[in-house]
Amino acid sequence: MEGSQERGLGTRSDGAGSGLGHRSPSLFLQLPSNQTLRFRGNKAEAWGAALEGAGELPEDPLDQVPPAVVAEEEEDRQPLREMPLCLEDKRRLRLLEEQAASRLSGWQLWRAGKRRTLRQLRSQASTVMSHAMMWKSTLRHIEGHFGTGIQAYFSFLRFLVLMNFVASLLVVGFVVAPNAAFEALHLNWTSRTSNTSVNVSCLRYDPTSHGLTSYFSYIMDLLSGKGFMELTYLFYGYYPNSAVDFASFSYNVPLAYLLTAFFYLLFCLIWIVHRSVYCLKHSLVSEDVSLGSYSNKVFAGWDFGLMQPSAVQLKHKSICYELRMDLEEEALRRHLAERTTKQRAVLYILRGLLNVLVLGLLGAGFFCIYLATEYSQWLLGSVNSPIKGQTILELLAAYLPSIVITVANLLLPMIFGVIVQLEKYPLSFEIKITLLRNVFLRLASLVVLLISLWSQITCDGDPQHSDCKDCGYSHLFLCWETSVGQEMYKLLIFDLLIMLLVMLFVEFPRKMLVTYLPSRPLLKLWGEQEFVVPANVLDLVYGQTLCWTGALFCPLLPVLNTLKYIVVFYLKKLTLYANCRPAERTFRASSSNFFFLLVLLLGLTISCVPALYSMFVLSPSKACGPFRGEPTMWNTISNAISELPPTTQEFLGFVGSLAFAVPLFLLLSILMFYLVALAGTYSSMVKGLKGQLQLEGQDKLFLVKQISELSQ
């Protein structure tokens, strides 16, 4: 074995051009990576076999590589124009490809041509998609001037715009547009159920305004979602409980409504999980310190295809931000390593006390939201309400939960920002812990609002209560789905208004005062504001969670959310360039991208709970909506299955039975264990490859040392 290795590794030339000579085999035997040849796979063995017994390298470059290796690498090699090689090497590889292709069979030629065509099509499609990407130049400009952390926020916002836009096409295409077309064409509507056995008091739902209506009332209805807004396709209550028969075509409106809402949530889940996996891979690679972050940025980070001076400057600034980030993280790691045991103990005790304070503040905020929701619904639904007939006060009462939630979401994050500075976390973890606390605040406040509405709609879950005995739900909410949709609609509108007001009356005046009165001590201490990424990401997650929660009760909410996020993008871009300065402390965007999606996935999980509970458990309103007269919304699926052919019914019944679920569960468990074992194998391979990379680095040091000794 030692002799074969000596022959295989001792035949490399150290000349250039035609001046080829022999290199001593003992030099290669001394390399630290020499003993790892047998671990490099079949291709390394083929190379070793090709080099074995060769006295010196041939003059013809086509004979340097064995044909078996060329044929094997031809299938999965990247395009030649994408390789980091000079033109001379690319010409030599092109000749090598032509030589290898002449020795392939017809079947191998056809396979290689097919793969080459598919690779070209993918390359062209990716080029078209990159040119059609929204706000590409804006994101590049933001990355150059403010770093990848701020750019990660705007990339996340663009992702939400695209996801909501595709979801809007789904909702409009299968729910809104068909109903509008059927109503405009005056087609035959067939009612699915009757309400003959329902108590008459449960059918007294009439949102139509009677008598003269002022222009001011229309504005109030537009902001609150009541009045004429309830008679539009925006809310659940306007959709009919009917099917449309047109020739041999039948369109079941309740079935389309329910399946669209279900697949809307499923589509968002799949897209978020897919993007999370991609961002997680990128995060694991970019944050691995064993891959030589500094050398990658210094020697391989530049894009030599940049032509415009502005693009060159932006890329230069981006690399500077990355290097600054690495240096800050290294300095922080050294500082943490220098702490004594006493300092660590004091810091942990301080963090524990501050977390108790955070929990107390969160509990107080949730209690205020619950009280505000209860009081608001009492003012609006009580017969003896003191604000009856007073439009302005009724509007304020309707927005009281939104106002309390917004005040809590404005004040508590400021307090959390002061607290997290005392805890002395690294900046990346500081952003994550701040985001987690604020997410818990916002999403939990939304949960408190939903629980309060549920307790009033279902009479605290007691169907025998006097208010719920006749209808199965409170008679104060004759169309409770529309009431829930109105709450989500008001929160969405109020969130956008607050964002606009803060920018106009807080951020712009602060910028002007700091710019034109810089000598004032208080203003100098206040300083120019920074673009706070956690708070802005939280606004996006909160708004998207509102959209998911209200999509079942307000079908056009994804459309409104798409328009809202487009407006938010330009507003945030304006305030970033006009009011903000680059952050003094940078953070890594790779881990933040994945963490943003993880928080978004948490919001989707929370929003699915009320939607699924409404589908399977709660009784639909008997006076409005596409499911009136049904015991549950999901009963529409059962009725649709009962109309299918018997064979299809038996198949679907088998799919929903334990005879299918138990083997499927076992199969998925086996697949999960296989994937876990495969992941462990890949992890071991990665560790081995990292060890080989370290050996390659030692080889370079050894060769440099040998060269320096020989040159003396």
Side-chain angles (χ1 to χ4, degrees):
M1 172 64 77
E2 184 176 353
S4 63
Q5 289 180 355
E6 181 176 348
R7 291 193 301 271
L9 293 173
T11 56
R12 295 177 59 182
S13 64
D14 56 352
S18 61
L20 301 172
H22 295 284
R23 187 186 297 265
S24 174
S26 61
L27 180 61
F28 291 96
L29 290 175
Q30 297 177 38
L31 291 177
S33 61
N34 178 53
Q35 300 299 324
T36 64
L37 178 64
R38 61 180 181 274
F39 300 112
R40 299 181 189 176
N42 297 328
K43 294 182 182 180
E45 293 178 1
W47 277 95
L51 294 173
E52 185 177 356
E56 59 183 36
L57 289 176
E59 296 182 2
D60 188 1
L62 299 178
D63 296 331
Q64 293 183 11
V65 184
V69 177
V70 176
E72 187 178 352
E73 291 184 350
E74 173 68 24
E75 297 181 357
D76 55 356
R77 186 174 53 79
Q78 62 177 335
L80 190 62
R81 60 186 176 86
E82 297 181 3
M83 289 186 173
L85 301 174
C86 62
L87 289 177
E88 182 180 355
D89 292 338
K90 290 183 179 180
R91 292 192 188 101
R92 294 168 62 189
L93 284 178
R94 177 64 67 188
L95 292 174
L96 191 63
E97 289 180 358
E98 294 175 357
Q99 174 96 9
S102 63
R103 288 175 282 179
L104 296 177
S105 63
W107 169 252
Q108 290 175 331
L109 284 174
W110 181 82
R111 286 177 58 192
K114 181 180 177 181
R115 283 188 172 87
R116 190 179 297 109
T117 303
L118 292 176
R119 190 165 57 229
Q120 291 176 355
L121 289 176
R122 284 197 298 266
S123 177
Q124 293 174 0
S126 63
T127 303
V128 172
M129 291 297 294
S130 64
H131 287 296
M133 193 177 297
M134 292 177 60
W135 303 314
K136 181 179 179 180
S137 60
T138 300
L139 294 179
R140 185 178 300 169
H141 196 270
I142 291 172
E143 179 184 0
H145 284 82
F146 297 93
T148 56
I150 308 297
Q151 187 258 353
Y153 164 79
F154 285 91
S155 298
F156 182 63
L157 178 54
R158 181 181 63 182
F159 164 71
L160 292 180
V161 170
L162 293 176
M163 185 179 66
N164 281 279
F165 176 72
V166 178
S168 301
L169 295 179
L170 178 69
V171 173
V172 172
F174 289 95
V175 177
V176 180
N179 281 274
F182 297 152
E183 185 177 357
L185 295 175
H186 303 287
L187 299 179
N188 295 325
W189 296 81
T190 303
S191 179
R192 307 299 297 178
T193 56
S194 60
N195 291 328
T196 55
S197 61
V198 178
N199 194 310
V200 180
S201 61
C202 301
L203 302 177
R204 295 173 181 171
Y205 173 69
D206 185 16
T208 307
S209 300
H210 300 283
L212 295 176
T213 304
S214 63
Y215 181 75
F216 185 72
S217 298
Y218 283 109
I219 297 178
M220 295 297 104
D221 292 343
L222 182 64
L223 294 175
S224 63
K226 297 184 177 182
F228 79 95
M229 293 289 290
E230 297 183 51
L231 301 176
T232 62
Y233 290 108
L234 180 63
F235 291 109
Y236 165 94
Y238 188 70
Y239 291 87
N241 182 23
S242 306
V244 178
D245 299 319
F246 180 72
S248 60
F249 172 76
S250 179
Y251 193 85
N252 192 335
V253 175
L255 182 63
Y257 190 99
L258 184 62
L259 291 180
T260 301
F262 182 79
F263 281 105
Y264 162 65
L265 297 175
L266 183 62
F267 159 76
C268 293
L269 174 64
I270 294 174
W271 199 345
I272 293 173
V273 170
H274 177 267
R275 187 175 175 87
S276 300
V277 171
Y278 170 78
C279 292
L280 178 60
K281 292 179 180 178
H282 183 69
S283 173
L284 293 176
V285 172
S286 62
E287 295 188 358
D288 194 348
V289 296
S290 64
L291 298 180
S293 176
Y294 295 107
S295 58
N296 286 337
K297 291 181 178 64
V298 173
F299 297 106
W302 188 257
D303 185 3
F304 290 93
L306 298 176
M307 302 295 294
Q308 299 179 357
S310 59
V312 171
Q313 292 178 0
L314 292 177
K315 186 64 177 178
H316 179 267
K317 291 181 179 179
S318 177
I319 295 177
C320 289
Y321 269 109
E322 292 288 336
L323 292 174
R324 177 184 171 187
M325 213 178 305
D326 293 336
L327 294 174
E328 287 182 357
E329 291 179 354
E330 182 65 25
L332 182 61
R333 281 193 292 267
R334 290 183 179 180
H335 178 69
L336 293 178
E338 294 173 355
R339 285 178 180 170
T340 62
T341 306
K342 181 179 179 180
Q343 290 175 338
R344 292 195 186 112
V346 172
L347 183 61
Y348 292 152
I349 294 173
L350 178 62
R351 288 175 180 176
L353 295 176
L354 292 176
N355 279 293
V356 172
L357 177 61
V358 168
L359 292 177
L361 292 173
L362 289 173
F366 298 155
F367 184 69
C368 292
I369 293 169
Y370 182 82
L371 291 180
T373 306
E374 292 279 347
Y375 188 62
S376 171
Q377 297 299 325
W378 178 80
L379 289 176
L380 296 175
S382 176
V383 180
N384 301 322
S385 175
I387 62 172
K388 201 72 173 179
Q390 303 181 40
T391 308
I392 300 295
L393 294 180
E394 287 182 351
L395 181 64
L396 291 176
Y399 270 92
L400 183 60
S402 303
I403 293 172
V404 175
I405 290 175
T406 302
V407 171
N409 292 335
L410 286 176
L411 294 180
L412 291 182
M414 295 180 184
I415 302 175
F416 294 161
V418 176
I419 291 176
V420 80
Q421 297 292 331
L422 302 175
E423 293 175 311
K424 298 180 181 179
Y425 289 118
L427 183 59
S428 299
F429 187 77
E430 179 181 316
I431 289 175
K432 293 177 182 179
I433 192 67
T434 304
L435 192 59
L436 273 178
R437 288 169 178 171
N438 294 339
V439 162
F440 184 75
L441 168 65
R442 291 221 173 183
L443 298 185
S445 63
L446 182 60
V447 170
V448 171
L449 174 64
L450 292 173
I451 291 175
S452 178
L453 291 174
W454 171 83
S455 65
Q456 296 176 60
I457 292 171
T458 62
C459 302
D460 293 323
D462 183 14
Q464 301 301 322
H465 194 275
S466 58
D467 292 338
C468 298
K469 191 174 183 180
D470 296 333
C471 306
Y473 50 87
S474 176
H475 63 83
L476 300 176
F477 300 89
L478 295 178
C479 188
W480 63 265
E481 296 92 345
T482 297
S483 300
V484 176
Q486 287 170 348
E487 290 296 330
M488 300 300 109
Y489 171 79
K490 287 184 290 187
L491 287 172
L492 193 73
I493 297 297
F494 197 71
D495 187 49
L496 180 60
L497 291 177
I498 289 296
M499 189 179 302
L500 182 61
L501 293 175
V502 168
M503 188 183 71
L504 291 177
F505 297 105
V506 177
E507 296 177 353
F508 275 122
R510 175 179 177 179
K511 172 67 175 180
M512 295 178 64
L513 290 174
V514 173
T515 303
Y516 295 104
L517 297 174
S519 59
R520 300 296 177 88
L522 184 59
L523 295 177
K524 187 176 181 180
L525 179 64
W526 196 13
E528 289 187 67
Q529 67 179 15
E530 294 183 5
F531 192 88
V532 184
V533 174
N536 286 282
V537 169
L538 183 60
D539 291 337
L540 299 181
V541 174
Y542 175 69
Q544 187 60 49
T545 305
L546 290 177
C547 179
W548 284 327
T549 306
L552 180 63
F553 316 109
C554 184
L556 284 179
L557 210 57
V559 180
L560 298 178
N561 206 40
T562 304
L563 299 176
K564 172 193 169 184
Y565 280 155
I566 292 175
V567 174
V568 167
F569 185 92
Y570 289 103
L571 289 178
K572 291 299 180 181
K573 177 186 172 183
L574 176 63
T575 190
L576 177 66
Y577 283 108
N579 303 326
C580 299
R581 57 181 171 84
E584 295 181 356
R585 301 173 63 192
T586 56
F587 67 96
R588 195 174 301 279
S590 54
S591 61
S592 301
N593 285 324
F594 171 70
F595 193 72
F596 295 164
L597 292 169
L598 196 63
V599 172
L600 188 64
L601 197 61
L602 176 63
L604 177 60
T605 304
I606 292 176
S607 61
C608 285
V609 173
L612 296 177
Y613 185 79
S614 302
M615 290 180 186
F616 291 98
V617 179
L618 287 182
S619 176
S621 298
K622 298 175 174 57
C624 67
F627 306 104
R628 66 191 77 173
E630 298 285 355
T632 60
M633 294 183 184
W634 194 253
N635 193 61
T636 303
I637 303 293
S638 303
N639 295 336
I641 293 175
S642 64
E643 298 176 0
L644 296 174
T647 305
T648 307
Q649 293 185 36
E650 293 176 359
F651 173 75
L652 293 176
F654 171 73
V655 169
S657 64
L658 290 176
F660 178 80
V662 173
L664 179 63
F665 176 76
L666 294 176
L667 181 63
L668 292 177
S669 300
I670 294 173
L671 181 62
M672 183 185 67
F673 285 122
Y674 167 74
L675 293 177
V676 169
L678 192 64
T681 304
Y682 286 156
S683 177
S684 301
M685 292 177 61
V686 168
K687 291 180 180 178
L689 291 174
K690 288 180 179 179
Q692 291 187 22
L693 286 176
Q694 294 177 358
L695 289 176
E696 293 292 337
Q698 296 176 14
D699 288 352
K700 294 176 183 178
L701 294 175
F702 175 78
L703 292 175
V704 169
K705 182 179 179 181
Q706 293 292 323
I707 291 172
S708 62
E709 291 178 355
L710 292 174
S711 62
Q712 292 178 358

